[in-house]
Amino acid sequence: MELSDRVIEIFKAIAQVPRQSKHEAKISAWLADRAKSSGFEVERDDANNVIIRVPATKGYENAPIIALQGHMDMVCEKTPTSTHNFDTDPIEVIIEGDWMHANQTTLGADDGLGVALALAMAEDPNVEHPRLEIIITSDEETGMTGAIALKPESVQARILLNLDSEDEGIFTVGCAGGRETTSTLDLSRAPLVAGSRKVDIHVTGLLGGHSGCEIHLGRASAIKLINRIIARVLDTVSDARLVTISGGSEHNAIPRDAVVSLAVAARDSAKVVEIAKEMGAIFANEYASTDPSVVVTTDVSDIAGDAFDNASLRRISDLIYCYPHGVSSMNHDVEGLVETSNNFARIRIEGNQLKTLSSQRSNVASKLDAITQRVEACIRLAGGVPNSGEGYPGWQPDMNADIVHRCVDVYEKRFGKKPIVNVIHAGLECGLIGAKIPGIQMISFGPTVVSPHSPKERAQVSTISMVADFIVDLFKTYR
């Protein structure tokens, strides 16, 4: 069996195990059992992290230990028409030509392919290698809590290959730090007048994507778009009320869908429908290049009882308008690198409260603090209560590290061209691991994965063999 075929076979097996972030017990146990069945030493901690220790092959006994690192969890996104249950259903892996994708869901190549690559290196009897530590962390996608819980004494390697990058031929040597902010905003209810009508407004069809890798592409946020409709309604209709609002999903996914239900007097329902239709045409024009499939639809029905009052709706609309979303600043030293951004990731009604979630990123710690303070200020001005987490540190690049020069040299010899060495705006666990283990040399790379964190996620099959062959060649330089 070709090494790349083994990687795909392992990835398909991983895809059979549900592995949503914060629900990794099954995949953690599966990984540990698989490693034990191969005779490897396994350490599994309370955070569901799995460390697999693989002996060196003959001739590599005196080589330095190399860590292969990735994460076991995946972002679980699906299309509105999908009936997939991420708690129980396996991911349906489909290969068409040179591309691999799923059936109306995220594929989980981020970072299932990285984990599969690491396991293939350990399991393939034809691969010569130094001692390996395969470090597979949990909950990378929703807070990097696995990497936070990782015990420094469990990691003996001082060379780490992070397999969580998504562009073959690009080596990443630095990344942004990040922090999440949640909020609660108390809302007030009031009785509806007799004969009120409910207008459901849906914004769908957006591309979304990874808020670290694709925040600079100018794609629309469904939350921001639907609020522009709400604001027009508030300026047109005398007493619009809020029934419910929701949009977005994970902290690192640009919101693709949003829905708001407004209660208005019967005489105003047609006006609201017309506003939504007009705004849909405006959105289609504004985002013709970046989100060509954006759609605004409406449904009208009777409603009675109560709803959140007009003042509450106005506060929500003002908050969404003020809330930063997208690129805040670009890096002046690295061309094309986003320096600071925010993803207004999710909005929900729970009981009588509005709850929001955002994800701030920056390659500069002080600017991460500043964008977080701006988010918190917007929440407070709307009368809400912000709560920001501690976040995770960035990874400062060391362009002169031996691992960087070695990887560039090996790549050029194998493929006859120079790779790109860069710093990214997305977050990687290298920042946390580097903070725990001073002096560890790290580099990140992987097969090409397009549109991670969205149902359009797909992986390029031919790049899997390229990355696998590169790792084999890299191992040989340590003999």
Side-chain angles (χ1 to χ4, degrees), residues 2-3 17 20 37 94 100 102-103 137 175 194 219 234 294 314 326 333 360 367 371 374-375 408 421 441 443 447:
E2 293 288 334
L3 182 55
V17 186
Q20 186 170 4
S37 69
I94 301 167
M100 179 163 52
N103 181 13
T137 52
C175 71
R219 295 176 181 172
L234 284 167
V294 59
R314 175 63 75 178
D333 299 318
Q360 299 85 246
K367 289 194 173 183
I371 190 71
R374 181 181 170 192
V375 168
V408 169
V421 179
Q441 294 189 39
I443 195 165

Side-chain angles (χ1 to χ4, degrees), residues 162-320:
N162 173 277
L163 304 176
D164 191 24
S165 285
E166 289 140 2
D167 290 289
E168 191 284 321
I170 297 179
F171 293 135
T172 297
V173 296
C175 71
R179 190 174 300 150
E180 294 178 23
T181 299
T182 60
S183 76
T184 56
L185 176 65
D186 291 330
L187 306 174
S188 301
R189 290 185 176 273
L192 292 170
V193 298
S196 292
R197 302 279 277 169
K198 178 167 71 79
V199 183
D200 300 321
I201 305 169
H202 303 260
V203 173
T204 59
L206 301 179
L207 291 173
H210 191 302
S211 66
C213 303
E214 295 165 314
I215 197 72
H216 64 291
L217 297 180
R219 295 176 181 172
S221 160
I223 296 173
K224 286 288 191 175
L225 293 191
I226 209 161
N227 186 56
R228 289 172 64 182
I229 300 173
I230 294 170
R232 280 279 302 274
V233 171
L234 284 167
D235 290 342
T236 306
V237 175
S238 61
D239 190 25
R241 310 284 189 86
L242 175 68
V243 180
T244 191
I245 185 172
S246 66
S249 55
E250 304 296 338
H251 77 104
N252 48 13
I254 301 169
R256 295 179 295 110
D257 307 290
V259 58
V260 65
S261 297
L262 302 176
V264 296
R267 66 179 180 276
D268 291 328
S269 60
K271 293 180 185 177
V272 175
V273 171
E274 183 61 27
I275 288 170
K277 181 179 179 181
E278 290 173 357
M279 294 303 295
I282 290 171
F283 300 155
N285 178 62
E286 290 181 353
Y287 294 95
S289 298
T290 57
D291 273 294
S293 300
V294 59
V295 175
V296 176
T297 58
T298 56
D299 295 296
V300 182
S301 59
D302 294 330
I303 187 173
D306 62 11
F308 298 109
D309 61 23
N310 184 264
S312 294
L313 181 58
R314 175 63 75 178
R315 289 166 62 210
I316 291 170
S317 181
D318 288 348
L319 171 61
I320 298 172

Side-chain angles (χ1 to χ4, degrees), residues 16-83:
Q16 300 303 299
V17 186
R19 53 194 178 96
Q20 186 170 4
S21 302
K22 300 191 183 300
H23 299 275
E24 299 103 338
K26 288 181 181 179
I27 187 63
S28 178
W30 184 91
L31 290 165
D33 290 344
R34 184 181 180 105
K36 289 175 184 176
S37 69
S38 296
F40 303 140
E41 178 186 341
V42 178
E43 178 183 340
R44 186 180 175 203
D45 63 22
D46 292 340
N48 281 319
N49 294 320
V50 175
I51 299 178
I52 302 167
R53 298 184 174 88
V54 183
T57 56
K58 186 176 180 180
Y60 290 81
E61 295 87 352
N62 296 321
I65 303 170
I66 295 179
L68 302 175
Q69 191 265 319
H71 62 87
M72 65 185 71
D73 60 318
M74 65 175 283
V75 170
C76 295
E77 288 279 295
K78 61 183 180 180
T79 65
T81 58
S82 172
T83 59

Side-chain angles (χ1 to χ4, degrees), residues 405-454:
H405 293 297
R406 190 182 294 253
C407 285
V408 169
D409 183 61
V410 169
Y411 189 93
E412 189 170 5
K413 287 178 179 177
R414 159 62 75 165
F415 301 113
K417 60 181 180 179
K418 285 186 177 294
I420 296 170
V421 179
N422 76 351
V423 179
I424 63 170
H425 186 58
L428 289 170
E429 292 167 300
C430 295
L432 284 162
I433 294 170
K436 289 173 180 283
I437 308 171
I440 190 170
Q441 294 189 39
M442 301 179 290
I443 195 165
S444 179
F445 54 86
T448 296
V449 178
V450 178
S451 297
H453 300 188
S454 83

